[in-house]
Amino acid sequence: AQSVTQLDSHVSVSEGTPVLLRCNYSSSYSPSLFWYVQHPNKGLQLLLKYTSAATLVKGINGFEAEFKKSETSFHLTKPSAHMSDAAEYFCVVTNDYKLSFGAGTTVTVRA
Amino acid sequence: NAGVTQTPKFRILKIGQSMTLQCTQDMNHNYMYWYRQDPGMGLKLIYYSVGAGITDKGEVPNGYNVSRSTTEDFPLRLELAAPSQTSVYFCASSSAEGRQNTEAFFGQGTRLTVV
């Protein structure tokens, strides 16, 4: 069995400050982990993925995430938020064909 | 590359009507999925398929049916539409490299309203 918990349903940051979105997972096997972003009224876009290579993964738009097996975490960070980062973010764990989504974190960015 | 294509983008149905949401992918992916997304609720899996001729129920299958006659197509059928089926529907596909999943590719979504 596998599951994903996104620890914050909503994160609010000021433009230019760091962003941290927290994700914990459980999985019986070595998982693949992903972060997706969804802008309002749009589909889901892949930000980055972890598939058992480097534990620090760099993605698009300056985002990165670190896989920590001991903490079963895959937190997403960005050093400096931009207004265009306002969106919904989903952490996803997969094993074989099964995709499990977190409930999502809504990010708002204050000018 | 077209990726995952869903049609229609928007639809309004009356209670009791039926419709089919179309989904096709051109990446030769084995795995395909249908999700629904309700405000503040994340994505819920309706049905999935691991290959042509094989489908299985997800978390919220009631009121829906699927078929997978080809690798490319995975239509979702709504019979007897109900207001509770008002939602945004996403089709997705993915594959595997050994035991690792590739990322899932998503269609642009279908916004369905049942009145």
Side-chain angles (χ1 to χ4, degrees):
Chain A
Q2 59 190 33
S3 65
V4 179
T5 302
Q6 290 184 241
L7 298 169
D8 309 289
S9 59
H10 186 245
V11 169
S12 180
V13 298
S14 296
E15 191 175 21
T17 64
V19 182
L20 169 65
L21 306 183
R22 297 181 294 164
C23 172
N24 287 351
Y25 72 92
S26 68
S27 177
S28 303
Y29 306 100
S30 297
S32 298
L33 292 156
F34 307 88
W35 276 98
Y36 285 85
V37 61
Q38 185 182 31
H39 287 94
N41 299 313
K42 299 289 187 185
L44 281 81
Q45 179 186 17
L46 180 70
L47 271 180
L48 49 79
K49 62 181 177 181
Y50 166 79
T51 55
S52 77
T55 56
L56 184 62
V57 181
K58 292 189 185 299
I60 62 172
N61 300 335
F63 284 94
E64 63 181 35
E66 186 171 9
F67 173 72
K68 292 187 176 180
K69 186 175 181 180
S70 60
E71 298 176 11
T72 60
S73 69
F74 190 55
H75 300 337
L76 180 71
T77 60
K78 182 172 180 178
S80 176
H82 190 272
M83 297 299 289
S84 61
D85 295 326
E88 185 95 13
Y89 292 79
F90 294 98
C91 182
V92 179
V93 62
T94 80
N95 199 289
D96 289 330
Y97 54 84
K98 295 182 179 178
L99 306 177
S100 295
F101 279 79
T105 299
T106 302
V107 172
T108 58
V109 182
R110 303 184 301 273
Chain B
N1 285 338
V4 179
T5 303
Q6 282 182 244
T7 56
K9 288 193 170 76
F10 303 93
R11 183 73 185 265
I12 298 174
L13 277 183
K14 293 184 178 177
I15 294 171
Q17 286 185 319
S18 62
M19 76 165 292
T20 299
L21 281 66
Q22 302 291 344
C23 176
T24 187
Q25 52 95 6
D26 62 359
M27 296 169 284
N28 201 34
H29 285 169
N30 286 333
Y31 310 147
M32 294 190 75
Y33 312 85
W34 273 106
Y35 291 90
R36 60 177 288 171
Q37 184 179 30
D38 301 307
M41 301 295 288
L43 278 77
K44 301 285 188 192
L45 181 64
I46 305 171
Y47 271 94
Y48 65 95
S49 168
V50 299
I54 306 169
T55 62
D56 209 345
K57 296 177 180 179
E59 303 168 77
V60 289
N62 292 344
Y64 307 94
N65 276 301
V66 293
S67 60
R68 184 94 182 270
S69 56
T70 66
T71 299
E72 295 79 20
D73 300 307
F74 190 44
L76 176 72
R77 178 85 177 158
L78 278 71
E79 305 282 2
L80 296 175
S84 61
Q85 293 177 305
T86 294
S87 189
V88 180
Y89 292 84
F90 287 99
C91 179
S93 72
S94 72
S95 188
E97 295 169 351
R99 291 216 54 180
Q100 297 288 336
N101 267 73
T102 67
E103 65 265 34
F105 293 81
F106 286 82
Q108 286 300 299
T110 297
R111 188 174 295 275
L112 176 68
T113 303
V114 182
V115 296

